[in-house]
Amino acid sequence: MAERPIDLGWVRVFAAVGKMGSLSSAAGTLGLTQPAVSYQIRRLEEHMGVSLLQRQHRGVELTSEGRRLFDVTSRTVDDIDMLVRSFRSQSERPAIRLRTDYAFSSLWLIPRMHTFRLHYPEMDIQIVATQRMEHGPPDGDIAVVFGTRQEFGSNATLLLPEKVVPICTQGFLDRNGPFFDPFEIASARLLHLDTRAPSPWFDWKSYLAELGINRDAAVGQGELSFNTYSLVVQAAIGEQGLAIGWMGLVDSLLASRMLVTAGPMLEATDRGYWLVPPKAQSAETDRLAAWLISEAGIDALKAQDL
């Protein structure tokens, strides 16, 4: 009669005990009770006809036979676990990465993600926000990047053209405004977004220059500068000054009256947020791109109604 093969469950339990040096620790790792671990070790010892463990006051110690068995089983169990993880990773859905900057992700994208989840609950998305975006299409990622078409090529789709307007709270406007004349804006307390020079988007210097005003930085009234646009917006909500508001990013704040417009709107027709598709497209990236374009189109229609 053929000998009954060893139960692989016993082997896994033994390998865990040998690695942890404790029945209770192995039980916790395996999700078993300590008596269950002890029982399976006894069954393995009975099957092999040798003693594998020596029970100590604190934990256990492998016998010489136990060490020989552990040398083999520990490698085998680790190899099996690695192979299982490999199988699982191959079957798991790959996450679609969407790269963009902090302003777009926090003010435009995240508030809308619940809509995407309703349409595509089976899709996994990893949002990668960075302050410095590399120009050019990413290898396997969708990107939403600020710049011009010349920077991103003919495959890029304009999501949000750059339209800006001074914004502040109604309270700040009541106390310091109104700002009917651009010179009044230039003399107000302004909130700035730090950026490299020359700025790739409207800043206060270029905004006022479009209105024919060369503002002296010395006229500021204890002005604040921030390295992310989200902080600029929070400072405006906190009534710290006038900020430049990018339409598309601050629309919900204007609609809720948390912020109000406080000056003329300007537009840079060649600049804005562009959707840059990945070099290797898939059905999933196509769905995400179509959703982004659709949401941007809905925003444009809403803006026309304001």
Side-chain angles (χ1 to χ4, degrees):
M1 178 181 294
E3 185 176 350
R4 181 171 174 266
I6 293 177
D7 189 319
L8 293 180
W10 303 343
V11 174
R12 176 174 290 279
V13 169
F14 172 77
V17 172
K19 183 178 295 185
M20 306 295 293
S22 165
L23 295 174
S24 58
S25 297
T29 300
L30 297 170
L32 301 172
T33 64
Q34 182 172 335
V37 170
S38 296
Y39 173 77
Q40 295 194 47
I41 293 295
R42 285 198 304 271
R43 294 297 305 275
L44 181 60
E45 289 177 326
E46 292 169 359
H47 185 88
M48 300 192 71
V50 294
S51 177
L52 300 174
L53 302 176
Q54 291 179 349
R55 276 68 173 177
Q56 306 289 334
H57 177 64
R58 294 181 179 272
V60 295
E61 183 177 348
L62 296 175
T63 64
S64 59
E65 292 83 0
R67 284 194 296 271
R68 291 170 60 188
L69 179 62
F70 178 76
D71 288 341
V72 175
T73 58
S74 61
R75 293 193 302 268
T76 302
V77 169
D78 288 342
D79 289 344
I80 291 173
D81 288 341
M82 185 179 300
L83 187 60
V84 170
R85 286 194 295 270
S86 174
F87 289 160
R88 287 177 176 172
S89 64
Q90 292 173 13
S91 63
E92 289 173 353
R93 299 170 298 180
I96 303 170
R97 287 188 300 272
L98 171 58
R99 297 184 182 273
T100 188
D101 61 26
Y102 292 126
F104 185 86
S105 60
S106 62
L107 295 172
W108 192 94
L109 181 61
I110 293 176
R112 291 168 170 80
M113 283 308 300
H114 69 282
T115 304
F116 183 84
R117 304 307 301 165
L118 290 174
H119 285 87
Y120 304 106
E122 76 286 354
M123 289 178 59
D124 297 333
I125 297 180
Q126 179 186 10
I127 298 172
V128 182
T130 178
Q131 191 67 7
R132 299 291 183 184
M133 289 292 296
E134 296 294 333
H135 290 164
D139 290 335
D141 306 344
I142 289 179
V144 177
V145 194
F146 191 94
T148 65
R149 179 177 291 280
Q150 183 178 1
E151 294 176 88
F152 307 119
S154 59
N155 289 333
T157 301
L158 182 61
L159 290 181
L160 302 178
E162 187 182 18
K163 297 180 181 179
V164 300
V165 63
I167 57 172
C168 62
T169 63
Q170 186 63 54
F172 183 89
L173 185 62
D174 292 342
R175 290 191 300 273
N176 299 278
F179 305 107
F180 294 125
D181 191 311
F183 284 97
E184 295 172 330
I185 297 176
S187 62
R189 187 166 69 247
L190 305 181
L191 303 172
H192 301 271
L193 174 63
D194 289 335
T195 185
R196 63 184 184 274
S199 174
W201 42 67
F202 275 117
D203 57 11
W204 279 118
K205 181 179 180 180
S206 58
Y207 174 87
L208 292 169
E210 287 284 323
L211 301 176
I213 300 172
N214 184 15
R215 183 180 191 258
D216 185 350
V219 305
Q221 306 177 31
E223 298 179 352
L224 295 172
S225 298
F226 302 90
N227 67 335
T228 65
Y229 186 61
S230 299
L231 295 178
V232 174
V233 172
Q234 288 301 313
I237 293 173
E239 302 196 345
Q240 300 301 307
L242 278 176
I244 292 179
W246 272 267
M247 302 306 296
L249 300 185
V250 299
D251 292 19
S252 62
L253 297 173
L254 294 175
S256 66
R257 301 293 293 174
M258 289 185 67
L259 295 171
V260 297
T261 60
M265 182 179 295
L266 298 181
E267 180 176 0
T269 57
D270 64 328
R271 294 199 305 253
Y273 277 101
W274 297 82
L275 169 65
V276 183
K279 292 179 179 177
Q281 294 177 244
S282 66
E284 289 76 18
T285 59
D286 287 347
R287 290 192 191 102
L288 177 56
W291 176 80
L292 290 167
I293 294 170
S294 174
E295 286 293 307
I298 292 172
D299 286 352
L301 292 175
K302 289 179 179 178
Q304 292 176 6
D305 295 335
L306 294 178

